[in-house]
């Protein structure tokens, strides 16, 4: 575990000091998360300053997620690809289905309007995620190297930043390049409560939507993903974290009962009978004569069906 010294050290541990956990081998002592959060040059802040809004845009937790969608899924039964309104696509690694909502994990790849990969993200929890932003030559966005084949000498070097929750109170942070890794105990955050909101966090919000009912119109669903980055100057008493939204995609609302291709509510068969306007054909299920187009509901082989 490699740690950088940030600010004034409150405690200096002997080199190589570890703590033994019964039955679990050894583990490095947690580093000071307060000093790390207060340092405007920590790797999370450097990553935010480098990639900026690359692959995403400034977001808000306060916005109505449905009213503020910036892309859409073409079909409710295929949530593998979101088309972004401003160009580009979001490719979901494992397409969810509406019955899985609210989502608790997600993997996706971000493509720009030229079909080039901008970055990718995997998420399994608010403090268990990994975000990769690919290098970009701003003078030649489609290039992956300089004309002579050397690495890009651009403003965006990108890389991978990851956070992994190690129990409820400990997080492991890995910085781009892999040269800096940290283990932090969140229980000490009461020492620097003003910086608590600058912790690395990600947010996955989702809703499957709702069908039209007699009392309300249909409501679209959505999937939204955001990451909170630290402010440029964490020592500013008015500093706010930088929230980047990587996508917010609208899902077509579910069809109303009686036209959704499913036997539900009080339907006696698929989309017919009960309170549906459509009556059921011969051979379909029924409860009373009024459920049937023929007006004749009776037993057929032991089951109630519409009869001729």
């Amino acid at each position: 575990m490699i740690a950088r010294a940030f600010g004034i050290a409150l405690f200096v541990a002997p080199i190589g000091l570890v703590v033994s956990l019964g039955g679990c081998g050894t583990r490095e002592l947690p580093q000071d998360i307060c000093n790390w959060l207060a340092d405007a040059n920590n790797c999370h802040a450097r990553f935010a300053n480098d990639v900026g809004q690359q692959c995403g845009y400034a977001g808000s937790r306060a916005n109505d997620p449905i009213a503020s969608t910036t892309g859409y899924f073409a079909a409710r039964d295929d949530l593998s690809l979101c088309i972004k309104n401003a160009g580009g696509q979001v490719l979901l690694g494992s397409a969810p289905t509406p019955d899985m909502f609210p989502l608790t994990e997600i993997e996706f790849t971000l493509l720009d309007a030229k079909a080039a990969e901008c970055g990718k993200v995997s998420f399994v929890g608010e403090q268990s995620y990994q975000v990769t932003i690919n290098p970009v030559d701003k003078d030649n966005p489609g290039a992956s190297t300089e004309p002579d084949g050397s690495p890009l000498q651009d403003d965006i070097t990108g890389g991978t930043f990851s956070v992994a929750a190690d129990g409820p109170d400990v997080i492991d942070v890995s910085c781009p390049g892999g040269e800096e890794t940290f283990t932090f105990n969140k229980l000490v955050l009461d020492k620097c409560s003003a910086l608590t909101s600058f912790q690395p966090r990600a947010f996955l919000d989702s809703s499957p939507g709702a069908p039209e009912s007699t009392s309300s119109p249909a409501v679209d669903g959505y999937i939204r993903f955001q990451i909170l980055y630290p402010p440029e100057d964490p020592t500013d008493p008015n500093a706010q974290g930088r929230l980047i939204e990587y996508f917010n995609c609208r899902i077509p609302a579910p069809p109303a009962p009686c036209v959704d291709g499913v036997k539900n509510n009080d339907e006696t068969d698929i989309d017919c009978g009960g309170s549906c306007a459509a009556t059921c054909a011969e051979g379909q299920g029924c409860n009373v004569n009024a459920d049937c187009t023929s007006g004749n509901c009776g037993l057929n082989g032991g089951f109630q069906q519409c009869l001729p």
Side-chain angles (χ1 to χ4, degrees):
M1 186 74 68
I2 302 172
R4 298 182 57 191
F6 295 115
I8 299 174
L10 300 178
F11 173 77
V12 179
I15 295 176
L17 180 63
V18 296
V19 60
S20 176
L21 302 177
C24 299
T26 59
R27 176 175 177 178
E28 295 189 15
L29 289 172
Q31 291 129 319
D32 191 333
I33 191 171
C34 290
N35 277 346
W36 188 75
L37 292 174
D39 189 344
N41 197 43
N42 71 48
C43 71
H44 194 205
R46 296 199 309 273
F47 183 67
N49 292 338
D50 174 33
V51 304
Q53 296 183 22
Q54 184 74 8
C55 303
Y57 42 87
S60 169
R61 295 295 295 163
N63 287 350
D64 178 343
I66 299 175
S68 62
T69 53
T70 55
Y72 62 93
F73 293 96
R76 183 175 176 82
D77 59 358
D78 183 4
L79 303 181
S80 62
L81 183 152
C82 166
I83 300 170
K84 300 180 80 170
N85 297 339
Q89 295 181 347
V90 182
L91 306 180
L92 276 65
S94 180
T97 54
D99 61 347
M100 297 168 62
F101 286 55
L103 302 178
T104 58
E105 56 185 74
I106 197 170
E107 291 186 0
F108 59 88
T109 299
L110 296 156
L111 304 181
D112 64 20
K114 296 183 179 180
E117 183 177 309
C118 181
K120 57 179 58 180
V121 173
S122 63
F123 170 96
V124 294
E126 185 174 299
Q127 288 190 309
S128 290
Y129 67 91
Q130 177 175 289
V131 55
T132 299
I133 304 297
N134 294 342
V136 174
D137 183 341
K138 286 190 174 180
D139 294 327
N140 187 10
S144 56
T145 62
E146 296 292 343
D148 62 1
S150 63
L152 291 174
Q153 302 297 314
D154 65 331
D155 322 325
I156 298 177
T157 57
T160 299
F161 180 87
S162 65
V163 184
D166 190 357
D169 303 318
V170 176
I171 57 171
D172 297 319
V173 172
S174 179
C175 303
E179 296 182 0
E180 297 175 69
T181 57
F182 303 90
T183 295
F184 295 123
N185 186 336
K186 297 192 296 178
L187 291 178
V188 302
L189 282 170
D190 57 353
K191 295 192 308 177
C192 55
S193 57
L195 300 172
T196 300
S197 62
F198 300 159
Q199 297 178 74
R201 286 183 294 164
F203 306 98
L204 174 62
D205 304 303
S206 63
S207 169
E212 179 183 0
S213 70
T214 56
S215 59
S216 60
V219 178
D220 289 338
Y222 66 90
I223 304 175
R224 178 174 72 175
F225 186 83
Q226 302 168 321
I227 291 181
L228 180 67
Y229 291 103
E232 294 184 12
D233 181 7
T235 63
D236 180 350
N238 298 314
Q240 299 291 322
R242 288 172 281 184
L243 189 70
I244 302 301
E245 188 165 280
Y246 288 97
F247 75 93
N248 183 7
C249 294
R250 184 181 296 264
I251 301 171
C258 300
V259 293
D260 57 3
V262 178
K263 182 180 180 296
N264 50 22
N265 299 321
D266 66 346
E267 296 170 9
T268 59
D269 212 304
I270 296 176
D271 295 342
C272 68
S275 60
C276 292
T279 52
C280 299
E282 181 180 341
Q284 291 186 298
C286 61
N287 289 329
V288 295
N289 289 338
D291 293 328
C292 302
T293 303
S294 65
N296 186 12
C297 176
L299 292 176
N300 181 18
F303 298 110
Q304 286 193 174
Q305 292 182 346
C306 293
L307 303 176

